Amino acid sequence: MRKQKVSSAVIRRLPRYYRHLNELHLSGTVRISSSALGKSMGLTASQIRQDLSCFGEFGQQGYGYNVEKLRGEISDILGMNSGHTAVVLGAGNLGRALIENFHFELSGFHLAAAFDVAPGIVGTVMSGVPIYHIDTLEGYLAGHPTSVGVLTVPRRVAAETAARLVAGGVRGLWNFTNIELDLRGSDVVVENVHFADSLLALSYMISE
């Protein structure tokens, strides 16, 4: 049974666990101990046991973890089997790259539609995803409940677009606009993605 409060650090590690367990499963590994799993991930066995204990009891003493079963449990915890849907706001360079190259379905999301204003884009289909005019967003959301809005719009319209998504019942925003969105007072979760942050962190680590 999942505990009420789980730290952000633990939540951030869950996708790593899933990805690693998936690789183990594909390689034919049936079971693994917490020490072996920790060693392969650069974590301690106690850290892994502590993280997983936030969500229930996994593994058996003297046996370890059944890789396929634990992968499935973490998939459920992450909501990958919840039927989430997503729409992309902004089908320009970044939006197109996500639509055509990011496999939303592997994370449990169905990418249903995208929205833009450019005449050369609206009305087209990218990798099976229809592109609608942004003016039809409210009508679309009213008829198609959507879990997540992927924001790749210009900075100047980011806050306005986010507000429209919130009003339309979207529950989460994957924000690539490079600005911090202030949605206090709503129940919407925002995941801000800043590409430069990780590059600057790398810059620090390689600098003398």
Side-chain angles (χ1 to χ4, degrees), residues 82-89 104 108-115 129-130 132 136-151 161-162 164-174 187-189:
S82 299
H84 293 316
T85 56
V87 296
V88 170
L89 283 300
F104 284 85
F109 282 82
H110 168 61
L111 182 57
F115 296 84
V129 178
Y132 302 113
T136 68
L137 178 62
E138 283 75 12
Y140 178 90
L141 294 176
H144 305 83
T146 300
S147 309
V148 166
V150 183
L151 283 173
T161 307
R164 294 173 67 180
L165 288 166
V166 172
V170 169
R171 291 180 286 150
L173 299 178
W174 201 18
D187 294 327
V188 175
V189 179

Side-chain angles (χ1 to χ4, degrees), residues 178 194-202:
N178 209 35
H194 296 284
F195 291 123
D197 287 7
S198 59
L199 183 59
L200 289 173
L202 180 62

Side-chain angles (χ1 to χ4, degrees), residues 203-208:
S203 175
Y204 169 82
M205 289 183 280
I206 65 174
S207 297
E208 296 182 356

Side-chain angles (χ1 to χ4, degrees), residues 40-64:
S40 64
M41 295 183 64
L43 299 171
T44 65
S46 60
Q47 181 70 76
I48 288 176
R49 290 193 294 267
Q50 183 178 340
D51 285 353
L52 296 179
S53 70
C54 294
F55 305 96
E57 298 296 328
F58 304 97
Q60 298 176 350
Q61 188 172 5
Y63 177 85

Side-chain angles (χ1 to χ4, degrees), residues 120-139:
I121 297 176
V122 173
T124 64
V125 176
M126 294 182 186
S127 297
V129 178
I131 315 297
Y132 302 113
H133 196 282
I134 192 66
D135 288 348
T136 68
L137 178 62
E138 283 75 12

Side-chain angles (χ1 to χ4, degrees), residues 89-91 115-117 134 137 150-165 173 175-179 181 183:
L89 283 300
F115 296 84
D116 206 281
V117 296
I134 192 66
L137 178 62
V150 183
L151 283 173
T152 59
V153 293
R155 291 167 57 99
R156 66 181 182 278
V157 296
E160 171 195 343
T161 307
R164 294 173 67 180
L165 288 166
L173 299 178
N175 175 29
F176 290 87
T177 64
N178 209 35
I179 65 170
L181 294 172
L183 296 181

